[in-house]
Amino acid sequence: GRSNITNTRSNIKIIYLFLGCGVGDLDPISNFECGFTNFIKKNYTKGDFIYLLEANKNNIPTLKKCWEKYPNVNIYNYAITTNNISNDIKKFYYSLDDAPYHQTCSVSIEHVLKHYPNKANIKEFQVEGISINNFIEQYIGNKIDYLEIDLEGIDYDVIMDLNLKKYNIENISIEFQHMGRVKIRSMIKKTNNAGYSYMGYGFDHNSLDFLFKRKKIKRNQYLSLILGYIRSKKIRHFINRILIKN
């Protein structure tokens, strides 16, 4: 069920934005795998721009190491806030059991406890917040070729905040595993209405992302409506096999 995404390009610079990038491909807990990091490194060409956003300031030095051989890498220590509120200080929680990089780091203590139930080992920190629309406006402009949203439980709120009419975002890969079926239905209604089509699994190396492309493919749009009513991986794999992939 892995995604077969390839980056088709001419000599135009490509803009990548990764929200919630952790330490890229340097975390031993994830076996030094990070699907979107791998995708960027495989496709990177001189002149491309990479924007990385990570809330945990302790991860920034390792993140810099991950990308030290690549020019035009911009790293920001912000939290993405929801409901389009910016300049807000956000409290984040993580577990000492999730060492060394505490990738399960969230504004929701419940989200962390779901993965690491030992309450005694939960720690917190504060970080400045910015809304997704303000971040794109201030730091990128209008065009993004590949957007990865991996924000530990608030992925749905963030994509629902995102102004898909205003910004020219070609491909959106978003983690779906923390969304219930109602939220998936709501998200797909939004992406379909904004002229996007479901393209199967996104960049996550564990196939936990959906990929949406800014292109109207009626068949894919209709098939995507089923995703909000099922939990079966087999049905999801089947839908992904019969999508139009171009």
Side-chain angles (χ1 to χ4, degrees), residues 64-81:
K64 284 179 177 171
K65 190 179 168 196
C66 170
W67 291 100
E68 65 190 355
K69 293 178 183 167
Y70 294 80
N72 300 337
V73 172
N74 305 276
I75 295 173
Y76 303 89
N77 179 214
Y78 280 128
I80 290 292
T81 55

Side-chain angles (χ1 to χ4, degrees), residues 19 33 42 44 69 80 87 92 95 114 121 155 165 175 181 183 194 216 243:
L19 303 179
E33 278 270 348
K42 185 179 157 196
Y44 184 85
K69 293 178 183 167
I80 290 292
N87 308 318
F92 271 72
S95 171
K114 210 186 292 177
N121 282 349
D155 312 275
K165 302 285 188 190
E175 189 171 20
R181 286 178 287 187
K183 286 183 175 178
K216 281 188 182 174
L243 294 168

Side-chain angles (χ1 to χ4, degrees), residues 19 80 82 132-133 147 149 151 154-164 172-175 179 183 186-188 190-191 196 210 212:
L19 303 179
I80 290 292
T82 54
I132 187 165
N133 294 313
L147 166 62
I149 302 174
L151 292 170
I154 62 162
D155 312 275
Y156 169 79
D157 301 296
V158 170
I159 197 168
M160 296 310 283
D161 281 350
L162 178 56
N163 190 335
L164 293 177
I172 301 169
S173 179
I174 181 166
E175 189 171 20
M179 297 182 200
K183 286 183 175 178
S186 174
M187 173 178 72
I188 285 169
K190 173 172 178 160
T191 53
Y196 285 78
F210 288 152
F212 299 95

Side-chain angles (χ1 to χ4, degrees), residues 173-207:
S173 179
I174 181 166
E175 189 171 20
F176 64 82
Q177 70 160 332
H178 304 300
M179 297 182 200
R181 286 178 287 187
V182 173
K183 286 183 175 178
I184 288 174
R185 290 202 288 274
S186 174
M187 173 178 72
I188 285 169
K189 184 180 177 186
K190 173 172 178 160
T191 53
N192 280 351
N193 288 345
Y196 285 78
S197 297
Y198 173 64
M199 301 303 287
Y201 291 124
F203 300 105
D204 181 79
H205 56 281
N206 294 314
S207 300

Side-chain angles (χ1 to χ4, degrees), residues 114-177:
K114 210 186 292 177
H115 295 271
Y116 299 96
N118 184 354
K119 237 179 180 169
N121 282 349
I122 299 289
K123 298 291 177 187
E124 61 181 61
F125 65 87
Q126 291 189 324
V127 62
E128 189 182 340
I130 187 168
S131 74
I132 187 165
N133 294 313
N134 280 3
F135 181 82
I136 293 170
E137 192 87 27
Q138 283 181 40
Y139 295 106
I140 302 178
N142 179 264
K143 175 185 176 285
I144 297 166
D145 294 281
Y146 294 94
L147 166 62
E148 170 73 31
I149 302 174
D150 183 2
L151 292 170
E152 295 302 325
I154 62 162
D155 312 275
Y156 169 79
D157 301 296
V158 170
I159 197 168
M160 296 310 283
D161 281 350
L162 178 56
N163 190 335
L164 293 177
K165 302 285 188 190
K166 183 175 184 181
Y167 303 113
N168 177 10
I169 305 170
E170 284 301 314
N171 302 277
I172 301 169
S173 179
I174 181 166
E175 189 171 20
F176 64 82
Q177 70 160 332

